[in-house]
Amino acid sequence: MDGYCAVRMKLADEFATAARLYADAVVRLTTANIMPQAQYERCREAAEVAGIRVAQASTAFGEHVSLHHCAAIPAARGSQAG
Ligand SMILES: [Zn+2]
């Protein structure tokens, strides 16, 4: 089907999920005014790991799209509309 790429959908879903998990981890880390040191370290580490996952998912998505050209209508085709 034109405009549909199953790999892009999968990578986009992973990217979006990773970003949500990262946001959750950052909220947990930053909304508590004060917490035990051990808990703080765990939250900080979780946020860091989640951030790395976002970067990896972003790279995987970007690399696939740039190689496969499946995220947007090519400029030549898009400019013909209207
Ligand atoms: Zn693709």
Side-chain angles (χ1 to χ4, degrees):
M1 191 203 292
D2 197 24
Y4 176 84
C5 174
V7 177
R8 174 173 61 79
M9 296 271 286
K10 180 179 163 290
L11 292 174
D13 192 54
E14 283 172 8
F15 188 9
T17 300
R20 273 197 299 274
L21 292 174
Y22 178 55
D24 286 351
V26 171
V27 166
R28 270 199 301 278
L29 178 65
T30 56
T31 50
N33 271 337
I34 193 158
M35 63 177 93
Q37 179 71 21
Q39 190 187 338
Y40 168 76
E41 292 295 341
R42 272 201 307 278
C43 281
R44 206 174 60 84
E45 200 177 303
E48 237 167 69
V49 169
I52 291 165
R53 288 212 184 108
V54 174
Q56 287 171 341
S58 172
T59 300
F61 178 75
E63 279 180 356
H64 173 80
V65 165
S66 69
L67 288 171
H68 200 210
H69 307 289
C70 56
I73 299 166
R77 269 167 64 195
S79 64
Q80 285 171 11

